[in-house]
Amino acid sequence: MNKKEVAKILEEIGELLDIKGENPFKVRSYYNASRTISTLQEDIDTLVNQGRLREIKGIGEALNNKITELVTTGKLKYYEDLKASLPEGLIDLLSIPSLGPRKIKTLYEKLNITNIGELEYACKENRLVSLEGFGPKSQQNILEGIKFKRKYDRRFLYPEVEKEGQYLLERLKGLKGIIRISVAGSLRRKCETVKDIDILISAEPEFSNDIMNTFCSLDRVEKVIAQGDTKSSIMLDSGINSDLRVVSDEQYPYALHYFTGSKEHNVEMRRVAKKFNRKLNEYGLFEEEKNIPCKDEEELFEALGLQYIPPELRESFGEIEAAQKNQIPKLLEENDIRGLFHIHSNYSDGVESIENIVKKCIELGYEYVGICDHSKSAYYANGLTEERIIQQHREIDALQGKYSQIKIFKGIEVDIASDGSLDYNDDILKSFDVVIGAIHSKLKMTAEEAMERMVKALRNPEVDMIAHPTGRLLLAREPYPLNINHFLEEAAKYGKIIELNANPHRLDLDWMGCKYAKGLGVKVCINPDAHSLIGLNDMKYGIGIARKGWLEKEDILNSLSVKELQEKYFDAE
Ligand code: DGT
Ligand code: CA
């Protein structure tokens, strides 16, 4: 191990001790030693071999032993143990420019943040605004720092990639020679996370070169990874890569299908083709070397005896069998949604007044809106005490009088405690129209504990719905080990509604769960879980996942009318 490596580990030890709140002198001694070692003139090996480390100012017996162990064995037990004593992701937080160990300690202790994904989520929920030592400005800096770091990570959340995909399409679509253009890959399939942007163009062959030149010299291109006649790859300044392929217009339908994927779906499609004694690939659908002409994807599916399969469904999840039987569902559309639940107001951790939320929902054409703030044990989110519930209900009654064109439901997102009990007594719960149970704390559970906790909430007659059932945060936090299919079976038994949380960090229930819920007849409610008016726009991501999970209008709670909701689900007052 060389000087630089030793210095880096000593510095990291200092940071870890600092995060743990150890004695500042001890912390400082590691920082100092790190600096001294990195500026040594001599080789560290030599010093260790000759036993001369202690001659260096600031290196006492303890540091001498540790550095010696590091240099001679390449490892240090003290360092390994120290790392193991803190959550793994905590150290990554140090890579965010505006965060030092002290701040990380606060984030960990006060908000239980253990990694970058959780931190990003907390910033977006405004949790740092009133946290001691932080504030709106520092929250903004942290968000920017995370964005910077993400540039060099590998997968991205859907909305980030979608935005970049739109930019590329906008810049390319008017170019001379282009006949057809589309995104492909996981972006077209509306996956929750996406690695890169696949774009397919059909063009007059003589323009292919110009198109590639334009693509590789767009203003936001940071790096050209490869440039050719039919394929080029670039990296955008956001760190997101894009592959462009240019094909002839005859080849376009086959190539679009191929590059849309998924790989698993493609494998199955080739198998279907084989049964017809045909060969399918990105260049065509061949019968004894002769291509069967298809002018679009619809015709390609038809040529294989299949109903058209929307891109979202192409995951090898039963779609080919369904297409053979003409049983592809009529997927949910954005305008099937008639109202929204699970919106946070400034009573808890949202930023907007109830009146502004109501006005916005009217403007967006919704027939109903459910205000669902946090319950009292969510103290970090300013959860509602009993008195403030009464106050909120009075305000909602007054607003309902003022805005008769929309139904305002009184809701609550009530914490499910670790024993499965809820945050309020039944009388208080009865005062709401809609009760959404949710887990926000004590997330470390075994599969059995998670199931018991959730099922107890399902059994509670006051609970209408369960929010973000697995607790996952995409690219940040694993779901708790809940057997989701078994949980959905229980939800079916008790007639409960399950949320599809539309926040792009969550998208929970996931699309596989959606399909399973549909099979059980469990109603899914797509909720924005919005903390601001902008957050209402997340609905489209939830709708994307609902489509990916085979859901139709009939499967969705919030595609019902107010009347149906009140008759079948929430008592009319
Ligand atoms: P990603 O980029 O990881 O989010 O997911 P995809 O699905 O966009 O994957 P990508 O970009 O590697 O490839 C785009 C599509 O191209 C993929 O969905 C299917 C097709 N494809 C790529 N490589 C293969 C392959 O080896 N076999 C088959 N059958 N299809 C492939
Ligand atoms: Ca891709």
Side-chain angles (χ1 to χ4, degrees):
M1 206 172 261
N2 63 30
K3 275 188 294 208
K4 232 167 132 186
E5 289 163 323
V6 172
K8 185 158 182 316
I9 289 178
L10 292 175
E11 186 185 4
E12 212 174 284
I13 292 175
E15 290 167 339
L16 289 167
L17 292 171
D18 218 357
I19 293 174
K20 290 187 81 141
E22 291 270 350
N23 176 339
F25 293 105
K26 188 169 166 189
V27 172
R28 176 84 17 91
S29 72
Y30 280 94
Y31 288 146
N32 289 344
S34 166
R35 203 163 322 119
T36 315
I37 300 283
S38 65
T39 55
L40 278 179
Q41 298 295 328
E42 271 183 277
D43 232 20
I44 187 116
D45 279 345
T46 323
L47 284 167
V48 168
N49 290 339
Q50 298 177 351
R52 286 167 42 221
L53 268 178
R54 291 205 57 179
E55 291 169 15
I56 303 169
K57 192 169 165 263
I59 309 259
E61 186 57 30
L63 272 164
N64 176 31
N65 291 342
K66 291 193 177 92
I67 297 169
T68 306
E69 185 182 333
L70 257 180
V71 172
T72 51
T73 71
K75 280 207 299 262
L76 177 58
K77 183 161 184 310
Y78 175 75
Y79 170 61
E80 300 302 328
D81 290 347
L82 189 60
K83 274 203 296 192
S85 71
L86 286 166
E88 217 178 311
L90 218 49
I91 198 88
D92 298 338
L93 294 182
L94 285 165
S95 62
I96 295 163
S98 57
L99 278 186
R102 298 287 160 74
K103 288 200 163 173
I104 293 171
K105 180 166 182 274
T106 309
L107 291 169
Y108 178 47
E109 286 177 355
K110 295 273 158 43
L111 300 180
N112 203 16
I113 285 169
T114 61
N115 61 44
I116 294 179
E118 289 175 352
L119 176 61
E120 182 183 25
Y121 188 72
C123 288
K124 293 201 170 152
E125 305 251 291
N126 271 322
R127 298 264 156 83
L128 272 60
V129 169
S130 51
L131 187 65
E132 200 188 322
F134 294 81
K137 185 129 201 281
S138 108
Q139 177 170 283
Q140 190 52 37
N141 285 341
I142 289 171
L143 267 179
E144 272 157 29
I146 292 173
K147 214 162 142 201
F148 176 79
K149 191 177 151 50
R150 277 277 158 73
K151 248 179 100 158
Y152 302 99
D153 282 358
R154 283 186 46 244
R155 287 194 84 78
F156 301 86
L157 293 179
Y158 178 85
E160 302 174 67
V161 187
E162 184 198 33
K163 197 174 91 211
E164 302 294 66
Q166 272 162 5
Y167 158 80
L168 290 171
L169 283 188
E170 279 304 314
R171 291 310 182 87
L172 293 172
K173 71 182 180 200
L175 295 183
K176 216 168 169 186
I178 291 186
I179 304 165
R180 287 187 269 184
I181 178 167
S182 173
V183 295
S186 50
L187 184 58
R188 184 163 183 239
R189 300 199 313 280
K190 295 205 167 71
C191 294
E192 304 91 324
T193 67
V194 176
K195 184 191 71 197
D196 54 16
I197 304 163
D198 299 290
I199 299 181
L200 184 71
I201 284 176
S202 69
E204 318 283 355
E206 63 270 32
F207 292 101
S208 178
N209 226 327
D210 290 348
I211 294 167
M212 287 303 187
N213 280 336
T214 307
F215 179 66
C216 291
S217 53
L218 289 172
D219 51 351
R220 299 222 2 244
V221 171
E222 185 156 306
K223 198 163 80 188
V224 176
I225 299 162
Q227 183 172 353
D229 279 347
T230 57
K231 183 184 169 187
S232 297
S233 297
I234 55 161
M235 182 172 97
L236 292 171
D237 55 10
S238 54
I240 299 177
N241 287 355
S242 177
D243 288 349
L244 171 64
R245 292 177 181 84
V246 180
V247 300
S248 70
D249 204 51
E250 292 70 50
Q251 195 198 325
Y252 184 83
Y254 316 97
L256 181 60
H257 175 266
Y258 180 88
F259 291 113
T260 296
S262 65
K263 286 188 185 92
E264 295 74 16
H265 166 91
N266 289 354
V267 169
E268 272 200 70
M269 286 288 284
R270 281 200 294 271
R271 213 173 287 144
V272 175
K274 228 178 197 162
K275 286 215 185 104
F276 286 82
N277 273 325
R278 292 169 179 174
K279 199 176 115 197
L280 175 67
N281 58 30
E282 63 193 281
Y283 305 104
L285 175 64
F286 300 96
E287 198 169 67
E288 288 171 2
E289 310 299 313
K290 214 173 131 273
N291 187 30
I292 299 168
C294 299
K295 68 175 192 314
D296 51 28
E297 275 186 334
E298 277 81 354
E299 289 195 3
L300 173 55
F301 282 111
E302 206 185 312
L304 292 170
L306 299 172
Q307 195 184 353
Y308 177 73
I309 302 175
E312 294 95 320
L313 301 191
R314 302 183 197 167
E315 297 289 350
S316 183
F317 209 58
E319 72 276 12
I320 293 183
E321 213 189 330
Q324 280 166 335
K325 296 189 196 146
N326 226 14
Q327 284 171 0
I328 292 292
K330 187 183 173 305
L331 299 181
L332 182 76
E333 306 275 350
E334 287 201 21
N335 56 16
D336 291 332
I337 300 294
R338 298 174 76 163
L340 303 180
F341 294 99
H342 200 169
I343 301 176
H344 295 270
S345 75
N346 57 8
Y347 271 79
S348 67
D349 58 349
V351 297
E352 213 59 62
S353 67
I354 299 177
E355 180 158 20
N356 282 347
I357 295 167
V358 168
K359 275 164 45 186
K360 185 72 189 179
C361 285
I362 293 170
E363 185 193 315
L364 292 171
Y366 291 119
E367 294 168 29
Y368 47 91
V369 51
I371 304 296
C372 301
D373 279 308
H374 284 285
S375 65
K376 66 181 172 190
S377 75
Y379 55 89
Y380 54 86
N382 200 18
L384 303 190
T385 58
E386 282 80 356
E387 295 78 60
R388 295 185 63 242
I389 292 171
I390 295 169
Q391 190 192 341
Q392 183 177 66
H393 287 183
R394 256 190 237 125
E395 181 171 340
I396 291 178
D397 288 337
L399 288 169
Q400 187 66 84
K402 189 166 166 193
Y403 299 101
S404 58
Q405 63 273 59
I406 191 166
K407 166 71 190 169
I408 312 172
F409 286 108
K410 294 169 184 157
I412 188 81
E413 183 185 18
V414 62
D415 265 46
I416 304 171
S418 49
D419 67 355
S421 65
L422 301 183
D423 218 5
Y424 301 117
N425 66 36
D426 281 359
D427 282 344
I428 294 180
L429 291 175
K430 279 192 207 324
S431 73
F432 295 103
D433 304 312
V434 189
V435 173
I436 310 182
I439 289 182
H440 291 111
S441 60
K442 308 244 166 54
L443 306 180
K444 276 221 174 81
M445 299 176 273
T446 64
E448 293 73 35
E449 286 164 349
M451 186 62 75
E452 214 173 296
R453 186 173 178 182
M454 292 292 250
V455 170
K456 185 155 174 217
L458 286 176
R459 254 192 247 125
N460 189 321
E462 299 311 321
V463 170
D464 300 297
M465 193 186 308
I466 300 286
H468 42 71
T470 80
R472 74 171 178 181
L473 288 180
L474 288 163
L475 305 177
R477 186 169 81 204
E478 291 295 312
Y480 23 80
L482 180 72
N483 178 329
I484 193 71
N485 287 358
H486 183 187
F487 165 75
L488 289 168
E489 286 155 20
E490 294 291 315
K493 202 156 90 193
Y494 295 104
K496 302 293 176 174
I497 304 151
I498 300 301
E499 168 179 280
L500 192 184
N501 190 298
N503 184 312
H505 290 267
R506 290 192 181 268
L507 299 172
D508 179 16
L509 198 59
D510 72 12
W511 56 267
M512 288 175 265
C514 286
K515 189 173 181 225
Y516 199 73
K518 180 191 175 93
L520 294 167
V522 169
K523 277 258 191 270
V524 171
C525 188
I526 306 178
N527 290 338
D529 193 359
H531 293 73
S532 64
L533 298 183
I534 297 274
L536 300 177
N537 297 341
D538 286 348
M539 280 302 287
K540 67 172 183 181
Y541 306 117
I543 292 164
I545 291 300
R547 290 173 58 89
K548 198 165 177 61
W550 295 56
L551 300 187
E552 302 173 83
K553 188 178 171 195
E554 295 67 44
D555 304 313
I556 305 295
L557 185 88
N558 48 334
S559 66
L560 295 178
S561 67
V562 180
K563 193 158 165 276
E564 288 169 307
L565 276 180
Q566 286 180 325
E567 278 169 8
K568 294 193 204 136
Y569 293 91
F570 314 129
D571 298 343
E573 274 164 74

